[in-house]
Amino acid sequence: MGAVSLGTRLALTIGSALLILSALLFGELTSRERDGILNAKAVAAATVADLFASGASAALDFSDNEAIDADIRDFAVAYDVTCAAVWRGDDSKPIAASKNDQCVELLAPHDDALGRTTTYPDRLEVARAVTSHGKPLGRTLLVFSLARENTVIFASRSRLLGLFAGLT
């Protein structure tokens, strides 16, 4: 077997460099796309969680569990909420929660989780303190599905992969 020509080595080097560069660019672009989509969802989820906690405030203040149940049903239908729950004070069991398998055995959000959004591969969890005139009344937790966002992210990655495959 003979030596590989200079032209062949140069072509392999350039091709390898383009492949590596394309892979790095693909990774960066898909990561930015995913981050943008998830950040937009997190901002929207935080706003919805604030509205939910605000509505729960009056209901907790007046011990109106029926109003809390109605809010849970309304928010679950309107905002991709897969689970919603409300706790009175520091109770460990919620006084009201969504009636589905995804809300079984919920734990009350810890103090350090209140006011934060936690991102998981399939969902966002947003915990809020419920107060009335500065007095703590309870806690809320909303869990938002990321199924639609994950579908969009997958489609975007597939399009970018096709584009980069065509370029290399």
Side-chain angles (χ1 to χ4, degrees):
M1 186 159 182
V4 179
S5 72
L6 180 61
T8 303
R9 282 188 279 177
L10 185 59
L12 286 173
T13 302
I14 291 172
S16 297
L18 283 174
L19 188 60
I20 291 169
L21 183 61
S22 293
L24 291 172
L25 189 57
F26 172 79
E28 180 65 25
L29 288 175
T30 57
S31 177
R32 285 182 187 213
E33 176 83 12
R34 181 181 187 282
D35 290 348
I37 290 169
L38 293 182
N39 285 340
K41 178 76 172 212
V43 168
T47 302
V48 171
D50 290 341
L51 288 170
F52 183 69
S54 177
S57 175
L60 279 174
D61 211 12
F62 294 103
S63 298
D64 188 353
N65 289 357
E66 288 179 21
I68 293 171
D69 284 333
D71 280 348
I72 286 173
R73 284 190 306 275
D74 292 345
F75 276 78
V77 169
Y79 299 106
D80 287 338
V81 174
T82 59
C83 184
V86 177
W87 289 262
R88 182 180 311 284
D90 289 328
D91 291 352
S92 60
K93 290 184 72 171
I95 60 168
S98 302
K99 309 286 191 260
N100 62 45
D101 294 340
Q102 296 166 345
C103 281
V104 177
E105 298 181 29
L106 284 176
L107 299 174
H110 293 285
D111 289 342
D112 61 338
L114 297 174
R116 297 178 68 195
T117 300
T118 307
T119 304
Y120 296 95
D122 63 335
R123 69 192 185 283
L124 294 175
E125 293 184 1
V126 187
R128 292 292 187 259
V130 180
T131 60
S132 176
H133 306 293
K135 179 179 101 177
L137 299 176
R139 298 155 190 257
T140 64
L141 177 69
L142 292 179
V143 180
F144 295 83
S145 171
L146 289 177
R148 270 193 290 175
E149 289 73 16
N150 285 334
T151 300
V152 169
I153 291 166
F154 179 77
S156 176
R157 284 184 176 165
S158 296
R159 280 192 314 274
L160 279 173
L161 185 59
L163 175 67
F164 282 105
L167 291 176
T168 54

